Amino acid sequence: PAFAAGSDAPPPPGQGQWLLLACEGKPRAWFALKDDLRDDAPTTVQALKRLGLSVELLSGDQEASVEDLAQRLGIEDWRAGASPEDKLARVEALQAQGESVGMVGDGINDVPVLAGAEVSIAMNGATDLARTRADAVLLSPHLSRIVEAIEVSRATRRIIRQNLGWALCYNLTALPLAACGLVPPWLAAIGMSASSLVVVGNALRLGRPHRSVVTAATPPPHARTEPL
């Protein structure tokens, strides 16, 4: 929005970053710059919380804008007017407490904290410098991809543990029997091949479609929501 500026040119009330247009040293109009929320931002934040993660908002914007954004997203821990050094100090403080920090950012002022976090993700529209410092770059504008990546990573770790457990149990059982001559060579070969097939088949489960917590939290198309 734009508003005409008077002689004293005070900024109009309201949230956002205000820019003053002047001509020959005289104020003419105020222009408000305001970022819109991504469509899936609220559901993504709630999904991250359901996964047991703590979500914090660190922003260099004004306090009123950041507070409004945090309330709309349901984020209790937030900080406004944070410089790149302040963001990095917050990450280092969390790391000193034994926490593993994941950072999502897109601007040049996010570069130090992207480099300092254990896991850093740059948005698809991030600056080139932010992309080079991030561990991963979202090719899609949807924030829900972050939740899907966490779900897949946890499923991968779970299946790796299952496969290692199966291989350990099989080897502890089959090797002593084979060493004692209680298992013929042809049966041992079949058992080894079957064990490998079990491991591969278990890993192939990662390729199956799964129902994300973001999808589960999104009402179906025919559902109707009422304002609070």
Side-chain angles (χ1 to χ4, degrees):
F3 297 90
S7 57
D8 51 354
Q15 299 177 354
Q17 186 71 33
W18 290 95
L19 300 179
L20 178 61
L21 173 65
C23 181
E24 296 180 355
K26 296 182 179 179
R28 298 299 183 185
W30 283 99
F31 290 88
L33 303 179
K34 187 175 181 180
D35 294 329
D36 292 330
L37 279 178
R38 296 177 185 263
D39 295 337
D40 58 345
T43 56
T44 299
V45 171
Q46 298 306 315
L48 291 173
K49 290 183 177 181
R50 282 191 293 273
L51 291 175
L53 301 177
S54 300
V55 181
E56 295 190 19
L57 175 61
L58 301 177
S59 175
D61 295 339
Q62 299 176 354
E63 182 174 355
S65 300
V66 178
E67 182 179 8
D68 176 70
L69 179 62
Q71 291 178 352
R72 293 165 61 186
L73 292 175
I75 299 177
E76 294 79 13
D77 299 326
W78 56 272
R79 181 174 179 179
S83 64
E85 293 77 12
D86 295 333
K87 296 179 182 180
L88 182 58
R90 175 55 180 166
V91 170
E92 292 176 345
L94 291 173
Q95 292 171 337
Q97 300 173 8
E99 302 288 348
S100 296
V101 181
M103 172 66 183
V104 181
D106 60 359
I108 297 179
N109 58 342
D110 295 326
V111 170
V113 70
L114 285 172
E118 276 82 1
V119 179
S120 55
I121 302 175
M123 298 302 300
N124 64 317
T127 61
D128 292 339
L129 189 56
R131 287 169 176 260
T132 58
R133 290 296 183 180
D135 299 317
V137 178
L138 289 182
L139 300 181
S140 167
H142 303 295
L143 288 172
S144 58
R145 300 301 185 191
I146 299 175
V147 180
E148 294 177 8
I150 295 174
E151 292 174 336
V152 171
S153 66
R154 290 184 174 182
T156 301
R157 182 174 58 182
R158 183 170 59 252
I159 287 181
I160 290 175
R161 290 176 176 175
Q162 293 173 357
N163 288 341
L164 290 176
W166 163 258
L168 179 62
C169 293
Y170 175 81
N171 289 328
L172 289 177
T173 304
L175 290 181
L177 295 177
C180 295
L182 301 177
V183 177
W186 63 268
L187 184 57
I190 294 176
M192 184 60 68
S193 300
S195 176
S196 300
L197 290 176
V198 170
V199 171
V200 173
N202 191 33
L204 288 177
R205 294 193 300 143
L206 289 172
R208 296 187 307 179
H210 68 282
R211 183 175 176 84
S212 172
V213 293
V214 176
T215 306
T218 305
H222 61 275
R224 181 179 179 184
T225 57
E226 297 293 341
L228 299 177

